[in-house]
Amino acid sequence: MHKENSSDALNRRFLFKKCELNTALNIISGRWKAQIIHSIHNGHNRFHLLQKELTNISEPVLGRQLKEIETQGIIIKKEIPETTPTGIEYLLTGKGERLIPILDNLCNWIKENP
Amino acid sequence: MHKENSSDALNRRFLFKKCELNTALNIISGRWKAQIIHSIHNGHNRFHLLQKELTNISEPVLGRQLKEIETQGIIIKKEIPETTPTGIEYLLTGKGERLIPILDNLCNWIKENP
DNA sequence: CTTATGACTAACAATTTTGTTTGCTATTGT
DNA sequence: ACAATAGCAAACAAAATTGTTAGTCATAAG
């Protein structure tokens, strides 16, 4: 986990204070996070659908990434009634939705500046 | 370094293929990179100026981050003539300049969605 | 002749991130 | 009875990122 007072942790906090840009990047820069957010936006909004989309991801890894972006308020979980076992839907929050165009810009930036 | 065939490396490549978004994020998601790009844009375009801006960064770390964003074509180095020791200026390339508004959007996104 | 400057680099250690193995829940289909 | 489904979680191992220590070069100032 985190060591609170390692140089690494101190530097991370220094950057968070310096500019919100670093906070934002911290949220979306995990290995699968941006892709998960995009995939949910494209309708792959169930655990097993995401597993299919992200061929090589393992269950614990997907679970962790989902939990982290949930903690950051990018997605929320919603139980689907009358399903067994109880299905869970992932939905983008407003914050999450407003991130989508920025991710698209990033995508186009690379396409136009290879 | 890199292990070419570790699961981690394979997954990274899977994502690069899946969507350019992941390539873009890979370029800017190092600990200091986005902040360095922004600082250069704001005129802190010398090695020693960046060191002052990023209080706690060490020289080897700054050197590495600069080299990486140079390799990605975000910045270029330029010798300043008639200086001893020879000074180096860092300049954003076109690709780098076109990244700035996107970083600003990310910054505003967090400010507006805390 | 020692120290300072500007701009690094290699080698190594600390820390964090990512991935793996194993196990769980409750219900339905065979 | 047994496997299958959907959706996880803890504990651990592997790998990558980040930070540290020590050194380089050429010139100029004290």
Side-chain angles (χ1 to χ4, degrees):
Chain A
M1 284 288 156
H2 292 288
K3 283 247 165 147
E4 285 301 308
N5 278 347
S6 63
S7 295
D8 191 64
L10 292 171
N11 286 342
R12 180 193 265 102
R13 267 180 264 141
F14 168 83
L15 286 168
F16 287 172
K17 256 196 178 173
K18 177 105 186 153
C19 179
E20 283 90 345
L21 170 58
N22 301 297
T23 310
L25 274 170
N26 190 244
I27 292 174
I28 58 175
S29 66
R31 164 73 76 250
W32 305 87
K33 285 181 194 164
Q35 186 61 56
I36 289 172
I37 293 165
H38 223 276
S39 293
I40 290 176
H41 183 247
N42 289 339
H44 303 104
N45 63 343
R46 302 281 300 272
F47 199 94
H48 62 282
L49 294 176
L50 286 166
Q51 275 193 278
K52 247 175 260 170
E53 262 278 291
L54 310 171
T55 328
N56 301 298
I57 201 169
S58 67
E59 295 183 30
V61 170
L62 177 54
R64 265 187 325 221
Q65 303 279 303
L66 283 168
K67 194 170 207 179
E68 284 175 33
I69 55 183
E70 191 197 353
T71 302
Q72 301 291 348
I74 310 286
I75 57 171
I76 44 164
K77 294 203 274 187
K78 198 187 164 199
E79 289 197 5
I80 304 168
E82 332 241 336
T83 50
T84 42
T86 313
I88 302 276
E89 246 187 346
Y90 296 98
L91 302 169
L92 291 183
T93 61
K95 185 177 181 180
E97 286 289 351
R98 287 186 279 278
L99 185 56
I100 297 293
I102 302 178
L103 298 183
D104 286 338
N105 285 343
L106 265 175
C107 203
N108 291 328
W109 169 72
I110 272 284
K111 285 184 194 161
E112 291 157 16
N113 305 273
Chain B
M1 285 283 158
H2 293 287
K3 282 246 163 146
E4 283 304 308
N5 277 347
S6 63
S7 295
D8 190 66
L10 293 171
N11 286 342
R12 180 196 262 100
R13 266 180 266 142
F14 168 82
L15 286 168
F16 288 172
K17 256 195 176 173
K18 177 103 185 157
C19 179
E20 284 91 344
L21 170 58
N22 301 296
T23 311
L25 275 170
N26 191 243
I27 292 174
I28 59 174
S29 66
R31 165 72 75 253
W32 304 87
K33 284 180 193 165
Q35 186 61 56
I36 288 173
I37 293 165
H38 223 276
S39 293
I40 290 176
H41 183 247
N42 289 339
H44 303 103
N45 63 343
R46 301 282 301 272
F47 199 93
H48 63 280
L49 294 178
L50 285 166
Q51 276 192 278
K52 247 175 260 171
E53 262 278 291
L54 311 171
T55 329
N56 301 299
I57 201 169
S58 68
E59 295 184 31
V61 171
L62 177 54
R64 267 186 325 220
Q65 302 279 302
L66 283 168
K67 193 170 208 179
E68 285 175 32
I69 56 182
E70 191 197 353
T71 302
Q72 301 290 349
I74 309 285
I75 58 171
I76 44 164
K77 293 202 274 187
K78 197 187 164 198
E79 290 198 3
I80 304 168
E82 332 240 336
T83 48
T84 42
T86 313
I88 303 277
E89 246 186 346
Y90 297 99
L91 302 170
L92 291 183
T93 60
K95 185 178 181 180
E97 286 289 352
R98 287 186 279 277
L99 185 56
I100 298 292
I102 302 178
L103 298 184
D104 285 339
N105 285 342
L106 265 176
C107 204
N108 291 327
W109 170 71
I110 272 284
K111 285 184 192 160
E112 291 157 17
N113 304 273

